[in-house]
Amino acid sequence: MVTNENDFIGIMMKCKNEKDICNVGKIIERSGMSDMQCLPFIQSLTNKGIIQKIDLGNFQITPLAYSIYESPQKKARKSFLKLSVSFLKFVITYILGIVSGLIISYLTHKFGW
């Protein structure tokens, strides 16, 4: 299911030929969308310069699309990295809290406060 421009670019990349040209009919067939649902995506991507119109049914994918597109694997890797960093911050904060408590209790015992 296509929910945003990134998904639409992904489908276009799957439907393209060796010259980076894709047919709207193949996009509609692969995505399961109607032509009226594809039209806003096509207009938006054309206005942004991500695709170029060749004729009524064919569009060429520009190199800009390859730099913008995020594959599902890339998204998963990015979210996993973000969660890992958050978990590591939590663990370090927890350990430092325990260590600071031990240091304070040692100093209190040593100096007899």
Side-chain angles (χ1 to χ4, degrees):
M1 184 70 192
V2 178
T3 57
N4 56 30
E5 289 180 355
N6 189 55
D7 296 340
F8 194 77
I9 293 171
I11 289 177
M12 289 183 78
M13 288 183 180
K14 291 176 184 174
C15 296
K16 70 179 180 72
N17 63 12
E18 63 276 350
K19 295 180 182 177
D20 289 340
I21 296 174
C22 56
N23 187 306
V24 176
K26 288 182 182 178
I27 295 170
I28 291 171
E29 181 181 310
R30 183 167 272 220
S31 67
M33 299 170 64
S34 70
D35 55 348
M36 295 305 288
Q37 291 172 324
C38 288
L39 191 60
F41 289 116
I42 290 172
Q43 288 176 342
S44 175
L45 294 174
T46 304
N47 292 340
K48 293 178 182 177
I50 297 171
I51 59 174
Q52 294 176 343
K53 187 175 184 177
I54 295 176
D55 57 28
L56 289 176
N58 295 314
F59 291 90
Q60 183 170 20
I61 300 172
T62 63
L64 180 61
Y66 293 103
S67 63
I68 290 176
Y69 176 65
E70 273 191 20
S71 66
Q73 294 85 8
K74 193 174 183 181
K75 285 182 183 178
R77 228 179 295 136
K78 188 185 281 186
S79 65
F80 178 73
L81 181 65
K82 191 181 285 187
L83 287 173
S84 298
V85 169
S86 298
F87 180 72
L88 186 61
K89 284 180 183 178
F90 172 76
V91 168
I92 289 173
T93 304
Y94 191 77
I95 290 173
L96 288 176
I98 292 172
V99 169
S100 66
L102 291 173
I103 290 172
I104 290 172
S105 65
Y106 172 75
L107 290 174
T108 304
H109 176 70
K110 179 153 177 96
F111 293 112
W113 291 334

